[in-house]
Amino acid sequence: MVVEAANWSGAVRPRHEILSAPEHLRYVSGWMRPGDAGYVALDGNDTPVGAAWYRMFPRTDPGFAYVGTAVPELIIGVRPIWRAHGVGRALLQRLAGSARSAGFARMSLSVERGNFAVSLYRSEGFAVVRADYGRDIMVKLLR
Ligand SMILES: CC(C)(COP(=O)(O)OP(=O)(O)OC[C@H]1O[C@@H](n2cnc3c(N)ncnc32)[C@H](O)[C@@H]1OP(=O)(O)O)[C@@H](O)C(=O)NCCC(=O)NCCS
């Protein structure tokens, strides 16, 4: 799902290239460390079709969506054949509920400009807080 998220624009960067790039690998390496949480969506055969998860990064090694310590960064990807079927929205809602229950006040994400997912995020309560080199950082208040 990291690969799906990184290839959002239809570019087909090879899986091994994405999974060996530190800026992508850091979102999954060493899973599941304290503070990590996520959901995997399964089809009727228990095959994963999408996932959304969050983790936190220190100020000294921030992720794309870093807005402060103790603000988890969200990543989401759905397999192409399953997109536009409500999987992404369901995952976002589950994950926000989970973050709220865990006591987080905010969660953040980074989205490249031009990705339709911005409208999905807005409709789920995320707002742009910072623009950054072709990307927007969005934050959702959880309380
Ligand atoms: C972004 C993504 C996670 C959304 O998941 P999804 O399962 O496709 O989303 P949903 O089916 O829940 O759709 C959510 C809304 O977006 C709309 N939508 C879905 N695909 C769309 C598309 N290609 N263009 C425009 N709108 C679209 C849906 O109509 C829906 O709106 P509605 O509820 O008002 O009808 C998924 O499309 C994906 O993995 N994309 C590639 C990776 C990516 O961009 N990741 C995020 C990086 S920040």
Side-chain angles (χ1 to χ4, degrees), residues 1 3-9 49 51 74-80 82-92 109-112 115-121 123 135:
M1 301 312 165
V3 176
E4 301 298 356
N7 275 339
W8 71 271
S9 64
V49 300
L74 177 148
I75 305 96
I76 184 167
V78 173
R79 286 203 191 289
W82 271 95
R83 288 180 194 163
H85 286 77
V87 175
R89 190 183 293 283
L91 284 167
L92 279 178
L109 60 82
S110 167
V111 58
E112 286 178 71
N115 189 338
F116 84 89
V118 169
S119 55
L120 165 63
Y121 300 145
S123 70
R135 293 178 161 271

Side-chain angles (χ1 to χ4, degrees), residues 56-110:
M56 284 171 287
F57 297 92
R59 183 187 298 272
T60 49
D61 183 26
F64 288 124
Y66 183 85
V67 293
T69 51
V71 181
E73 297 189 27
L74 177 148
I75 305 96
I76 184 167
V78 173
R79 286 203 191 289
I81 199 165
W82 271 95
R83 288 180 194 163
H85 286 77
V87 175
R89 190 183 293 283
L91 284 167
L92 279 178
Q93 292 177 351
R94 279 289 186 91
L95 198 59
S98 178
R100 192 177 292 115
S101 303
F104 292 110
R106 297 180 291 166
M107 67 192 307
S108 67
L109 60 82
S110 167

Side-chain angles (χ1 to χ4, degrees), residues 21-81:
E23 71 268 26
H24 296 300
L25 193 60
R26 65 186 165 173
Y27 286 97
V28 283
S29 63
W31 189 270
M32 166 178 193
R33 63 189 190 203
D36 289 348
Y39 290 93
V40 176
L42 304 173
D43 70 8
N45 297 315
D46 283 350
T47 303
V49 300
W53 66 100
Y54 63 68
R55 81 179 343 182
M56 284 171 287
F57 297 92
R59 183 187 298 272
T60 49
D61 183 26
F64 288 124
Y66 183 85
V67 293
T69 51
V71 181
E73 297 189 27
L74 177 148
I75 305 96
I76 184 167
V78 173
R79 286 203 191 289
I81 199 165

